[in-house]
Amino acid sequence: MKKLVALFSILATLMIVVSSCETKDPIVEKGTLQSATYNPATKSFTLTYSSGQTETVNAVVDDKTDPPTATATLKDGTVIYAGDATVAGAATIAKEINIVSQFVYDGMSLYYFWADEVKNKKPTVADVNPENYFYKILNSTDTQHGWSWITDDINSLLSGFSGEATDAFGFQPFPLYADDTYTTVVGFIRYVYPDSPADKAGLKRGEVITKINGQTITTNNYTLLYGANAETTFTVTDQYFKNPRDVKVMPAKINTDPVLYSNVYEMDGKKIGYLFYTNFYENYNASLYRVFSEFKTAGVTDLVLDLRYNPGGGISAATYLASLIAPESNVRNKDVFTVMSYNSYVNGIFDKNKWDRRDYLGDYNNAKYQDPLNANLNLNKVYVIATGSSASASELITFCLEPFMQVEHIGEKTAGKYTASWTIHAYDDFENRVQPIYVESKLTDSEKDKLKNWGMQPIVGRYTDKNNNDFIATNGLVPDYAINTQEYNTATWKPIGDVNDYLFAKAISLITGKPYQTTATRNLMIPEYKDAELYSTIESVSRQAVIIDDPKLLPPLK
């Protein structure tokens, strides 16, 4: 009997030991997870624990992002993340929702034009990369057009909206693919800002940049066309693709006054005022006032507004310029210029507070600028040069002036940007220019530090003219006088303001009644090029939507 009792005791002990081994969490034995590395060759993560033990787990690679990302979710919900699945190295370990991704959701679910589509797309721990999460939740139409933006450098974004460029050369490139494989890029110089580093280095409109620092230009280094933090060497040919030379340019912080060129031409009893305007920057409304004062003093009878390269910008500058152009009576009466429509939540707040969603002619910041009425030309017709490179605010002013006067559109169909955006930050309104999401005092210093550099520029509305008409159906403004483009052939380019320029010459012909004559549109000795659609960040943002640069600030989340 004693032997049986002893045997049962031994068996019971063994069962307890086996049971204990089966229920023990192997992760506990390994200790806490300390680090992770990613191996693109095996598409796996190597996890290292405090005990020194390692473990390999397979990664899920998302090839839809650029660059592709890799993730793995452990049993306890911890997410391992690699931002570039093509590169080996340390991986991110995430145990809670990224605070910037949460900011993206909180802002987009309130103010985004398609906010209702976002509300069921809350971030998870797996949304480690805020930028990827932002683009993942966008409306399909928005994604197709590339309208909305997010940045981790909001200060540079706002500086760009003000016409301030850091580490800039001072010329505007037109990047084009030079081969059928879409790998080699060249940059046509559209214009050069006076007294800029590029101007001082001798670069001119129509010249062609073929190399940067001795290297062929590709999609990997094209951004150096827009700026750098060190002296840069450009290999440049003349506008006929001859006489190559190397030009060294030292970048600098510059102010890019969009009133690039203006002049008055007297022809056949007409006084033609010509303005070449590059961007809608409110900071330079004083330059607009100066030019129109000169036009008025000269007795200008006809106006040509050249927006051929203007990607757009802020609605404040567009309204001010329109107030200088529209008939004086409409400006004096402060007639409605454009109407904004937002999502139901934002519209509701506007209605509750009796805020106006309309912008008016003659409405301006009188603390900073002079009354546009004093320089108004009181004309009943304007000739607008606009092309496929003319977008957002360029389209707004062209379209929204039509109820007041005859607008003769010369050139090409425009880009078709009929939406509006404003800038969103987590807690800072940047002197009433930006919509905050949270009350700053309720955030910790650590939270503010993680959020401070991030900003969003999402689509929040659409604009119409005073009669609620839009141009969505045509997806761009169709010209009254379509002109075959010569923008892909620098051999035919003329200096800005030259009366023989192929677009300005058409306006002069319409004004004077003289026959339209221009140079040939093609030169068979020059290869064909294709628009690479490679823009600087600020140009991309300006192109995508009219920027509401003086927004009504809505209450932040409590």
Side-chain angles (χ1 to χ4, degrees), residues 100-111 115 118-123 133 137 438 456:
V100 181
S101 295
Q102 186 63 51
F103 152 68
V104 169
Y105 174 79
D106 290 339
M108 297 291 279
S109 62
L110 285 178
Y111 306 130
V118 173
K119 291 178 181 177
N120 62 351
K121 299 177 181 178
K122 293 182 178 180
Y133 172 67
I137 65 176
Y438 311 121
M456 296 185 287

Side-chain angles (χ1 to χ4, degrees), residues 226-247:
Y226 293 100
N229 56 10
E231 184 180 70
T232 303
T233 301
F234 297 102
T235 301
V236 183
T237 73
D238 62 25
Q239 70 182 98
Y240 305 103
F241 291 78
K242 297 179 180 179
N243 304 312
R245 71 188 194 279
D246 285 342
V247 179

Side-chain angles (χ1 to χ4, degrees), residues 346-517:
V346 176
N347 281 340
I349 292 180
F350 269 73
D351 293 343
K352 179 180 178 181
N353 290 281
K354 294 182 169 51
W355 292 342
D356 202 340
R357 293 196 293 273
R358 296 168 292 186
D359 286 273
Y360 297 86
L361 293 172
D363 194 7
Y364 69 103
N365 185 341
N366 58 15
K368 295 175 65 176
Y369 309 112
Q370 298 190 61
D371 190 341
L373 268 173
N374 296 331
N376 180 274
L377 300 181
N378 196 30
L379 301 176
N380 57 18
K381 181 188 293 187
V382 61
Y383 299 86
V384 177
I385 294 173
T387 67
S389 296
S390 309
S392 71
S394 289
E395 295 173 292
L396 181 146
I397 194 169
T398 303
F399 185 71
C400 294
L401 276 174
E402 288 183 351
F404 305 103
M405 62 195 309
Q406 188 173 348
V407 178
E408 302 286 10
H409 174 184
I410 300 165
E412 303 172 277
K413 184 178 178 181
T414 58
K417 310 300 182 182
Y418 44 80
T419 51
S421 69
W422 64 42
T423 312
I424 298 176
H425 187 260
Y427 57 86
D428 193 339
D429 67 14
F430 290 87
E431 297 181 346
N432 296 318
R433 292 187 296 159
V434 175
Q435 173 64 54
I437 299 298
Y438 311 121
V439 176
E440 182 176 0
S441 61
K442 294 188 177 181
L443 296 174
T444 66
D445 289 341
S446 175
E447 289 172 332
K448 288 194 292 185
D449 187 62
K450 293 174 182 176
L451 292 164
K452 65 181 181 181
N453 294 326
W454 288 88
M456 296 185 287
Q457 195 73 32
I459 298 303
V460 298
R462 288 176 178 160
Y463 65 84
T464 66
D465 68 8
K466 62 174 293 189
N467 300 316
N468 293 314
N469 295 318
D470 58 46
F471 53 93
I472 296 175
T474 56
N475 196 32
L477 301 178
V478 179
D480 300 291
Y481 300 93
I483 307 294
N484 291 330
T485 184
Q486 295 184 20
E487 297 304 320
Y488 298 88
N489 184 358
T490 53
T492 65
W493 286 18
K494 303 295 181 184
I496 298 297
D498 191 302
V499 295
N500 294 310
D501 169 79
Y502 79 108
L503 292 172
F504 188 25
K506 180 61 178 179
I508 292 172
S509 173
L510 293 171
I511 293 168
T512 63
K514 287 187 174 181
Y516 171 57
Q517 294 179 334

Side-chain angles (χ1 to χ4, degrees), residues 80 188 266 285 306 322 441 495 521:
I80 314 300
F188 292 179
E266 295 192 36
N285 281 354
D306 197 336
S441 61
T521 60

Side-chain angles (χ1 to χ4, degrees), residues 90-105:
T92 300
I93 301 171
K95 295 180 178 290
E96 58 187 24
I97 294 174
N98 183 290
I99 190 172
V100 181
S101 295
Q102 186 63 51
F103 152 68
V104 169
Y105 174 79

Side-chain angles (χ1 to χ4, degrees), residues 146-147 149 156-157 160-161 164-165 171-175 188 190-191 193 222 225-226 278-281 307-313 387-393 415 417 457 531 533-547:
W147 285 334
W149 274 78
S156 292
L157 181 71
F161 289 162
E164 298 176 2
F171 66 84
Q172 179 61 32
F174 180 26
F188 292 179
R190 284 176 158 173
Y191 55 83
Y193 287 102
Y222 80 91
L225 290 168
Y226 293 100
T278 64
N279 299 85
F280 287 83
Y281 296 146
L307 303 175
R308 74 179 72 185
Y309 302 142
N310 193 317
T387 67
S389 296
S390 309
S392 71
K417 310 300 182 182
Q457 195 73 32
D531 188 349
E533 298 184 1
L534 300 172
Y535 310 112
S536 67
T537 298
I538 191 63
E539 184 178 0
S540 293
V541 174
S542 296
R543 280 182 59 82
Q544 302 317 322
V546 175
I547 297 162

Side-chain angles (χ1 to χ4, degrees), residues 155-165 254-258 280-284 368 433 538:
N155 289 301
S156 292
L157 181 71
L158 295 175
S159 294
F161 289 162
S162 300
E164 298 176 2
I254 64 173
N255 293 319
T256 53
D257 189 337
F280 287 83
Y281 296 146
E282 186 201 21
N283 277 15
Y284 294 95
K368 295 175 65 176
R433 292 187 296 159
I538 191 63

